[in-house]
């Protein structure tokens, strides 16, 4: 089958060396790369760990044979599985390579309804098949959420819970989602290099890989990186009232701005959405107001609408994943009304979003 170099070329991924690993506060670490990334965010690709792939192949009794993924294989019959278009067709890959580099087996997306449907079809135990079909049905949505809420559940966990499920490799590939890169904000202090800020205690494929990174190790970075601008420069004057709204790794550029401000600093209000409160390094934040939410941040903006209008920001900076930030920008536009047009005309309304083909606007 194709070697690692050919696979990485197909994925558009290159190796970038780690220059330094720095501990920041009690919960966070910063990894600095040896190559510059002139962007506010860049995608890091993390293959599935070899030990996990070994476990899955042994559990499913998959031989490490070379196969070619062809659309014709997935187009037989009305109920035919979906062709996984992200796997290059007519190219020989080993089963191990496909499970390592092309398929998501660790996130919640890997065990949603399509995967559960496939597993239910190939259960030798009737009770297990029935339970899986129910979890994959509309009637079982509530139980599915309650069963897996607050847990990091991947394909291996579900296979352990339903040991009689033995889907053939082609059917399983039709249900599993694409293994995607995780976007991280560039928190380089000089705005020229490339560094990422992360919480090593947070569960997740990318965070686990970053936690084990050492100087001279390599990370896989997708290229070319999105052309997102870095935070506004020079820093806002002391008289400014800055409102920043971020989600996930979008907090990193704000941290960089806050930690390089001269004294006296401008007034900052920071709104940040994070599923993991420990991701927020409170000791690095020096705003007049910090509001965090484990749910959609736009809801918090609407809740605080009157307070935000009284704050009357003179600059707005929105940063984060595209899908979340589109809703966030719409909510903040509803809150501030006509003031948004004035801020945009003055270049004081800055929005950076990435993923799903979106770039800075």
């Amino acid at each position: 089958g194709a070697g690692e170099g050919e696979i990485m070329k197909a994925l558009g991924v290159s190796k970038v060396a780690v220059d330094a690993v720095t501990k920041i506060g009690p919960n966070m670490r910063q990894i600095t790369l040896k190559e510059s990334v002139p962007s506010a965010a860049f995608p890091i690709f993390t293959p599935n760990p070899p030990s996990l792939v070994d476990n899955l192949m042994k559990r499913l009794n998959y031989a490490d044979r070379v196969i070619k993924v062809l659309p014709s294989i997935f187009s037989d019959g009305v109920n035919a599985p979906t062709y996984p278009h992200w796997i290059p067709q007519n190219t020989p890959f080993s089963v191990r390579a496909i499970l390592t580099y092309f398929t998501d087996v660790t996130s919640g997306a890997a065990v949603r309804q399509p995967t559960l449907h496939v597993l239910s079809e190939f259960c030798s135990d009737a009770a297990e098949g029935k339970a899986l079909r129910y979890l994959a049905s509309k009637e079982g949505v509530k139980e599915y959420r309650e069963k897996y809420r607050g847990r990091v559940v991947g394909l291996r966990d579900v296979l352990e819970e339903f040991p009689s499920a033995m889907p053939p490799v082609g059917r399983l590939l039709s249900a599993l989602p694409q293994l995607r890169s995780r976007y991280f904000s560039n928190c380089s202090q000089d705005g020229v290099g490339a560094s990422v800020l992360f919480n090593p205690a947070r569960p997740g494929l990318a965070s686990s890989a970053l936690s084990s990174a050492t100087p001279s190790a390599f990370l896989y970075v997708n290229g070319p990186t999105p052309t997102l601008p870095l935070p506004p420069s020079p820093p806002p004057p002391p008289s400014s009232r800055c409102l920043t709204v971020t989600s996930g790794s979008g907090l990193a550029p704000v941290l960089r701005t806050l930690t390089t401000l001269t004294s006296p600093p401008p007034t900052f209000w920071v709104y940040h959405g994070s599923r993991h409160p420990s991701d927020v390094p409170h000791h690095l934040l020096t705003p007049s107001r910090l509001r965090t939410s484990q749910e959609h941040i736009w809801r918090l903006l609407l809740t605080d609408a009157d307070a935000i209008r009284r704050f009357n920001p003179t600059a707005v900076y929105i940063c984060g994943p595209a899908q979340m930030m589109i809703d966030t920008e719409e909510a903040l536009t509803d809150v501030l009304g006509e003031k948004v047009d004035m801020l945009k005309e003055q270049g004081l309304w800055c929005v950076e979003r990435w993923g799903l083909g979106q770039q800075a606007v």
Side-chain angles (χ1 to χ4, degrees), residues 52-339:
L52 173 60
V53 175
D54 288 341
N55 179 280
L56 291 174
M57 293 185 65
K58 182 177 180 181
R59 161 64 181 80
L60 293 166
N61 197 27
Y62 288 168
D64 192 19
R65 57 193 176 94
V66 174
I67 61 175
K68 291 183 179 180
V69 177
L70 298 172
S72 59
I73 299 174
F74 296 85
S75 60
D76 185 18
V78 176
N79 297 318
T82 303
Y83 164 59
H85 58 84
W86 52 86
I87 302 176
Q89 61 176 291
N90 206 27
T91 303
F93 294 110
S94 67
V95 173
R96 181 182 301 278
I98 291 175
L99 290 175
T100 300
Y101 298 104
F102 293 99
T103 53
D104 182 351
V105 298
T106 62
S107 75
V111 291
R112 289 179 181 165
Q113 278 72 14
T115 305
L116 299 183
H117 269 300
V118 168
L119 296 181
S120 71
E121 294 174 9
F122 297 94
C123 279
S124 57
D125 184 291
E128 289 185 8
K130 182 178 179 181
L132 281 166
R133 283 192 295 276
Y134 178 72
L135 289 173
S137 67
K138 292 181 179 179
E139 295 76 15
V141 169
K142 182 178 180 181
E143 185 171 332
Y144 173 88
R145 290 175 178 171
E146 292 176 351
K147 185 179 183 66
Y148 298 121
R149 180 179 294 164
R151 296 172 54 193
V152 180
V153 178
L155 179 62
R156 178 170 59 181
D157 302 289
V158 175
L159 289 174
E160 288 178 352
E161 189 172 352
F162 300 93
S164 75
M166 296 290 289
V169 63
R171 291 292 280 123
L172 184 61
L173 291 181
S174 73
L176 291 174
Q178 180 182 6
L179 179 59
R180 297 182 180 275
S181 299
R182 272 63 168 178
Y183 276 80
F184 287 82
S185 292
N186 184 357
C187 57
S188 171
Q189 290 291 338
D190 58 10
V192 177
S195 61
V196 297
L197 196 69
F198 70 100
N199 181 359
R202 175 176 173 176
L205 184 64
S207 295
S208 297
L210 290 173
S211 298
S212 61
T214 58
S216 299
F218 288 91
L219 296 179
Y220 295 109
V221 178
N222 283 91
T225 57
T227 55
L228 301 176
L230 294 164
S233 181
S239 60
S240 297
R241 297 183 303 279
C242 302
L243 175 65
T244 68
V245 187
T246 63
S247 183
S249 58
L251 181 63
V254 175
L255 288 177
R256 181 176 61 201
T257 299
L258 291 172
T259 54
T260 57
L261 292 174
T262 57
S263 184
T267 303
F268 264 89
W269 278 21
V270 177
Y271 282 79
H272 179 64
S274 174
R275 289 177 296 176
H276 305 272
S278 59
D279 283 355
V280 182
H282 294 267
H283 63 287
L284 291 180
L285 291 166
T286 56
S288 304
R289 179 186 176 101
L290 169 64
R291 293 275 275 155
T292 62
S293 174
Q294 290 181 262
E295 298 183 1
H296 296 294
I297 195 64
W298 61 265
R299 292 177 179 170
L300 187 57
L301 294 174
L302 296 178
T303 300
D304 287 4
D306 290 339
I308 292 172
R309 282 191 284 264
R310 287 194 298 270
F311 178 58
N312 192 25
T314 59
V316 171
Y317 178 68
I318 301 173
C319 186
Q323 201 164 28
M324 298 180 188
M325 292 301 100
I326 291 173
D327 293 336
T328 297
E329 185 178 8
E330 289 179 355
L332 193 55
T333 299
D334 290 340
V335 170
L336 293 176
E338 296 179 357
K339 185 176 181 64

